Structures are given as C-alpha cells and as structure tokens.
Amino acid sequence: EAVVQEFRPAQVGESFGPTWETCWFKVELSIPPAWEGREVHFVWESDGEGMVWRDAQPVQGLTKEGEKTSYILTRSLKELEPHSLTLYVELACNGLFGAGKGSMIAPPDPDRRVTLTKAELVIFNRDVYELLVDLEILLEMAQLLGEENQRSFQALYTANQMVNVCDVTDPSTFPAARDLAAAIFSQRNGESQHTIHAMGHCHIDSAWLWPYEETIRKCARSWVTVVHLMEHNPELTFACSQLGLIPVLLQAQQFEWVRSWYPGLYARIQDFVAKGQFIPVGGTWVEMDGNLPSGESMVRQFLQGQRFFQEQFGRICSEFWLPDTFGYSAQLPQLMRGCGIQRFLTQKLSWNLVNSFPHHTFFWEGIDGSQVLTHFPPGDSYGMHVRVEEILKTVKNNRDKGRVNHSAFLFGFGDGGGGPTQKMLDSMKRMRDTDGLPRVQISTPDQLFAVLEKESSQLCTWVGELFLELHNGTYTTQAQIKKGNRECERILHDVEVLSTLAVAQDSVFQYPARQLQRLWRLLLLNQFHDVLPGSCIQLVVEDALQYYTEIRRAGAQLQEEAVQSLCRDLLQPEARSTQSTLVLNTLPWERTEVISRPGPDGTETLALVTVPSMGYALVQEPFVPPQPVTVRKQEDGSITMENGLIAVCVDTMGHLTSLRLLDSGRESVPDGCYANQFALFDDVPLYWDAWDVMDYHLETRKPVTTLLKPLEITLAGGLRGSVRFSLQVGKSSTLTQEIILDAMCPYLRFLTQVEWKEAHKFLKVEFPVQVRSTNATYEIQFGHLQRPTHWNTSWDWARFEVWTHKWLDLSEHGFGVALLNDCKYGASAHRNVLSLSL
C-alpha cells in the first residue's frame, strides 16, 4: 500500500508530523564502484522511530534513542552485487518514549514534529570501530577496578601503549594496537569467579506513553533487529516476554499479529525459536499488574499465556517473567505452581524508596506455603548496555554472595522497545572471561535457573507479599479504569456461571467459549501493568474504557442468552403472573436481600427475596421482614436508622456518629469521632505524578466540611431506609452520597458519586472504629493478607498506603468492623482508622 503512493522529494532538515502520524520515504541508493571491497551502511537519523523495508520485508529498526541508526547494505561490496537499490523507510512521528511535552512522562504534545537529521550512504571502517570498543573497555577497567587492583593499572598502561602504537593516519598500525588489547582480554579468571548469565532482552510496554496501536510497530522494529543480529551472531539468545496484544477487538497476541502482518519476519522468528535462540518467556498473556487483577483474572493470564506457548512452541513456560510491575501479590507463588511454573524473575523491588530488599536469589513463599525459586538480577535493571560498570555492579550488589555464584544480566534497550545492539555483543565478547572481571556467558533462562537450583540449599525464604515501596498511587489513579476492571471481572464470572448452568440443563445450548475468550483477552490486555494502574497517556485510557464498554455490551448479551435458555419455561407468559420476578444468584451461598423490581405501573418497587446458592427463584409474593427498617429524624437534625440487627446515627454532615450491633449493644464508632469522614490531601509527589503518593501527603489532611445539601430522608423505612446529602470537595468538586439500610441486612451501604475537578489532590473516606488490633486483614486473590496497623519499623510505615480488593477488616476477639467496596483498591488501616482511597 505504501509503495504505490506518490512520493515527493524530501530533504535532510525537514520536519514531519504531527504526533502519531506515519510518513513513508522512498530511498534510492547508488553505491560508487570505487567502494568495492568496503563495508557500506545506509545511515538514517531522526527523532522518530523508523523501520527499513527491503524487497517488501522489514529488515531493520531505526531508533536514535536505541542506538540503531544504520542499516548494513553489504559487509564487503562485490563487483557482481547490485550497486543500485531502493529501500523504504517507515517513520513513526513519535520517539522511543512517546511524545511527552517537556518531560518523558508529561502528556504527549499533539503537534510535535520529528526532524530528519541525517540520510547518508557511508563506508563503515570496522577496524576503527573494533579499536574504539577495545579502548572503551580498557579505560572503564582502569577507572572502575580501583587503585588497589593491579588489573586497573594493567588496563591503563595497555591503553596508553595502544595510543602510542596506533597512528590514526596509518591503518596498518591498527592490528598491533589491537593485539595489545587482546593480550589483556585473553588473561583468564580463576574457577571461583562469579558467573554472569547474559541474555538479550527487549521489554516492550504494551501501552504506556504510546497507544496500543503503536506497540504493534514497536514489536516489529525490535524483533526484526534482533533476528538480524542473530543471523550474524549465532551465540545470541533473546528473551521475549510480551505475548498479549489486542490492537483491535478481534486481534489476540503479538506473535499472532506478527504472523498475520509480517509473515516473513514470523517465519524467521520461528526458525530461531527452534534453534533455542529466540526464547519466549513469561507464562502470562501480558505482563499484568501484580496486585489489582482478581484471582480468576490472574489464573486466566496464566491459562491464556501457557496455552499460547503450548500451541505455538510445543511446551509451556517454566519461568514467570515479570520484570516491571508495581508489587507482587502473596498469592502468586500458589498460582504459579498451579500453572506449571516454579521459577520467577523480576527486578522492580530495587526501586524501593525506603528499605532495600535483602535478597537477589531466594525462595518466595505464598499464603498457602507454595514456594518458587526467585531471582532479581543484581544489576537492578532489565535494560543493561554491557558496560564494565554494570558488570561490576552485578557482582558487588549481589546480596546472596556465598549462597549462589551465578546471576542474570539482561541487556538491551527496553520499555519502549529496541533490544540489544551489535556493540553490546562485541563488548561482551571481550569481557567473556577476562581476569579482574566476572565471567560473562551468553545464557538462557533455563540454564540460569538450573544452576541456581543446584546451588539453592543455602538460600533464604521470603514469606508473603513482595510490596513495592513506591507507586502507591497506582492503586487509585484513573478511577474509571479501576471500576471498569472490577465490573468486567464480575460480568464475565456471571456469564460463565449462568452459561455453565444452562449447558448442564439444556443440551441444545452452546457454551459461548469463543466469545468468552475474546472478552477475557480484552480484559487481560487492560490489566497490563501501565493500563490497569492508570500510569498511561489519555489515548490509552480512552482505548481501555472502550474495551470495557465492549465487554459490558457483549457480556450482557451472553448473559441474557444464558438466562433465556436456563429459565425458558419460567419466562413463558403463561408460566407466571405479571407480578412475579425471576431473580438469579451467581454467588455460592444463599442470599436474602432487598431488591428493586419494576411494578405493574412501571415504577420501581422493593421486595425482600431469598435465592439459593448458584441458583434462581421466581418471586411472586415477597415475604415481610420480621423487623422493618425504622427511620427517625432527631431534634438536632441527625437521623437514626435501625433494622433489628444494627442501629446507625447520621449527623447533618453525613458523618456516622454511631453504629451499634444490637444483639450485643457493641458500639463501633469511638466517642467524639466521626466515621464516614471525607478528607482531602495534597498530592504532590517527587516525580512520578500518576504513579506516586508520598508519605508526606498525610501531613496535609483537611476534613471536608462544606455542606451543599443538608441531610434528608429519601426512604422512610419498611424494607429500606435511606438518607442523602451533598458536600463541596476542594475548590470545584462535589460529592453526593446516599446511605442505605435494608431490612435483615447486617451492613450499611454508601452510594457515592463524585464530580471530580481537582488537580494534585487526593480524596479519602475514613472510618475510625472502636477495635484494637495490631493487624488489619485485607482481601487479596483467593485469600487474605494481614498487615500491621502500627508503624514500628521502616518496613511498617513504608506501607502507609496499600492495596486491597473487595474488603479490609479490623477485628479483635469476638468483634470486628469491615469496610467493603465495589470498585476501589487503595486503602490503609493505621491504628484504629480504616481508610478507603477514592
């Protein structure tokens, strides 16, 4: 399609745009005959990401930020080789890290233009290049090994001799200079030296500072470059950890997409997978957030990922590869083991702001006792550039010296893609086994973990979550994404329950497996570790919300089809009166609740119903509660509500001044305290604005005290009592809340709507309770976790803001209070105050 377009002349210095646009260049080359025998490169430099196409196939990614600015036309020009050829360059009008205006993480500049700064045909002098790489490594050894190490002086004096021997105007002197460097690099280590397992790596965020669609091209640019390197460096191994990508609703995974749109590239990748060089790792559909997805979502991440590996490569993955996410749930070891994975690699805890994590190689134990062998690359990065400094840091920084003598080293440009470069490989060859430096070998994840398993007898064990002491704001950022994730998880659960029951009852009903897989893959994509946390640009948020809308729409249709099949007889007009209502319960326990249903005149009416576990009931004559809800307004304007189980008092500002359990008379709200207290905090982090909330925000607490609409009774009792009020929050935002007490219900409900227009502010709601406990309990995936309510140690107070799923609980013997939610994740429990971040 691009080739048949009409091209116009372009010049170096010209700019193209705007942001996210694509420009195609037709490049006609003519190599002078006098260059025969020389290595010829096509050099292209711009501040956009590019890709070279030749003979209708992608052949080379071009990214200045990724140090890839040339395409090798020939390594030695032959007389019979074509001297004239045509290339095409596809230029994306965005950089490796998007198009942030003023800083990398600023919102994209919609009018940014990229400039073509160089387009040249050049002779590449490989002798000079090799000489420079030698000198760079020698000088780094001289600078970094230290004055107490004789090898630093040997490197320094060798570099000095090379300068003396080498005449830059006389290439015949270069070999002698290189021989001096080779003498240093060939001096070997002893047997006890630490071994570094180097693996090419290219971390590509499925969406972050660029939209989903741009990731498609990032994959192609990065992978074609890696394949090109493998063709000329057979020792290179490359770990590819990103599977899932759905650029449009029907698209499934990055490998499938490459196979569809780049069949030639995909065939080459398959060849290198078979050779053991191109190594798919990960085990999940995408590199998901490690905290917020539900237990079922995490199982589906592994299910879809492992199924993909099995179908495409004939094996499942034995390593879970999640280098860049914002903490790791204590349930993950059990889920990994259940999905055939016993090994785990990450490095993100090196970002901890307060405490340094005490291990790099250890056993991680989950809430059920399951253990996985875990490794953090001691260099604290998944994007090394193969410098002497990084090699030395990998050994010096290792916190498990003496226990293990091997570690990982992941090299290549990442986050925005890019991957390894030829220079990285050439540097590594010189450091492979050089005295004074650790031993460096090209390796694979399996080789690394196999040797770590052999050395594991002395390893320590870490029990519980791997909590990242940073990016706590991602539990709350982008409230609509958080709400969409929770709702869609529930929708897919309900569809599957009802469809399964329908299959069991109706042999004609077809289980919607294909449709459900499509919807699950959309949801799993949105759980990528920069999408669900909200740490992405607006274009990505818009795509994510659109995907949630599609899941809701299609999920509702599938649910309706399942119900029609499951309850066909009950839904026939002759089978029920106009007053009857079909009520379904998709949870595994019997429920008695007040529901709202349409009345004969079209208005909503209330009914108290009981529905069995995982079942349904046809409600005709709702039963009357043994004790109706009573609602009374007091002289001071406060309102009390009572239902025989609990009694509550709400003051004119909407605060709970009392919440009593009637059978024991136990009061939950301490004297002089207000529960349901909204509070506003300043939110000005050090740098990562969408990611972080810092501990010092707690010093800026301001209770919300401006009343817009006073407390009023909205339902006067019977089956339901409710009150409503409105507050002004900050300068421009409003909050309206309805507090509801239903008959026979042991809890109070709060329906809260916020019109949010504040910047750099953080809204929470607080519930001080009359309970004393040193630990609070939080729901996590398929279980719960206890965290301290005190700040005795730095490990304790670093968890000033934590994550939970649907509830957190503070209990003592015989009594407790739980705070539930349907769309929030950020929370805290300090001393006796439960707080939910809104």
Side-chain angles (χ1 to χ4, degrees), residues 185-206:
F185 297 141
S186 64
Q187 292 174 338
R188 301 305 181 207
N189 275 302
E191 292 184 5
S192 66
Q193 184 58 271
H194 186 88
T195 299
I196 288 174
H197 292 249
M199 292 164 260
H201 193 248
C202 176
H203 180 66
I204 303 175
D205 285 326
S206 288

Side-chain angles (χ1 to χ4, degrees), residues 431-453:
M431 293 186 277
R432 183 176 294 143
D433 190 8
T434 297
D435 186 28
L437 300 177
R439 189 176 288 108
V440 183
Q441 67 181 46
I442 294 287
S443 186
T444 67
D446 182 64
Q447 291 170 357
L448 167 68
F449 277 103
V451 72
L452 291 178
E453 286 166 350

